[in-house]
């Protein structure tokens, strides 16, 4: 059950229509998870500074069970997420940062229990 949080200082009007849905589909493909299990939040127009600069930028946080737990996995994921984000947002790779967080099944609640028991 991946969770993606995209934050950017780009105004909402500069984001492509359907960005959240497109990010969901891309994440499902990149992480090898069904789209029905992917959760995406997009926040725009935020006051942000990346590498000391307030120029247009974005930050993606990817949290998931079992697919973001190693440097090798995240290196592959990073390349593909960067390809998606640079194309969609029109930003250079130096203006995007990605953080990966591995999750355990007991850390995600769903249907009145946790994923451990589903």
């Amino acid at each position: 059950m991946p969770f993606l949080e995209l934050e950017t200082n780009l105004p909402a009007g500069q984001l492509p229509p359907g960005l959240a849905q497109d990010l969901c589909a891309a994440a499902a493909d990149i992480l090898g998870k069904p789209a029905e299990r992917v959760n995406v939040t997009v926040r725009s127009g935020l006051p942000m500074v990346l590498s000391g600069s307030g120029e247009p930028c974005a930050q993606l946080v990817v949290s998931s069970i079992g697919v973001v737990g190693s440097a090798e996995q995240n290196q592959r994921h990073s390349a593909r997420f960067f390809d998606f984000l640079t194309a969609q947002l029109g930003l250079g790779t130096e203006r995007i940062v990605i953080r990966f967080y591995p999750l355990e099944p007991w850390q995600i609640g769903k249907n009145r229990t946790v994923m451990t028991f589903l």
Side-chain angles (χ1 to χ4, degrees):
M1 177 169 269
F3 296 88
L4 286 87
E5 299 174 45
L6 176 62
E7 298 179 330
T8 181
N9 57 1
L10 293 169
Q14 279 190 272
L15 300 181
L19 177 60
Q21 193 65 45
D22 291 344
L23 180 55
C24 178
D29 182 54
I30 292 167
L31 301 174
K33 298 282 189 172
E36 297 78 29
R37 293 193 153 220
V38 177
N39 303 282
V40 173
T41 303
V42 175
R43 295 179 190 94
S44 59
L46 298 174
M48 292 178 66
V49 173
L50 179 67
S51 300
S53 170
E55 292 297 312
C57 62
Q59 172 176 265
L60 179 66
V61 177
V62 181
S63 307
S64 188
I65 298 169
V67 295
V68 296
S70 74
E72 292 75 20
Q73 286 175 316
N74 293 343
Q75 184 179 36
R76 289 187 303 273
H77 301 330
S78 181
R80 294 184 68 196
F81 277 119
F82 268 96
D83 289 345
F84 174 85
L85 292 171
T86 56
Q88 293 290 311
L89 302 178
L91 299 174
T93 57
E94 73 284 353
R95 299 304 302 154
I96 300 170
V97 68
I98 302 173
R99 292 185 290 151
F100 295 98
Y101 290 102
L103 296 173
E104 296 296 328
W106 55 266
Q107 292 176 300
I108 300 172
K110 184 172 179 168
N111 295 334
R112 301 182 67 201
T113 186
V114 293
M115 293 300 291
T116 303
F117 302 109
L118 294 177

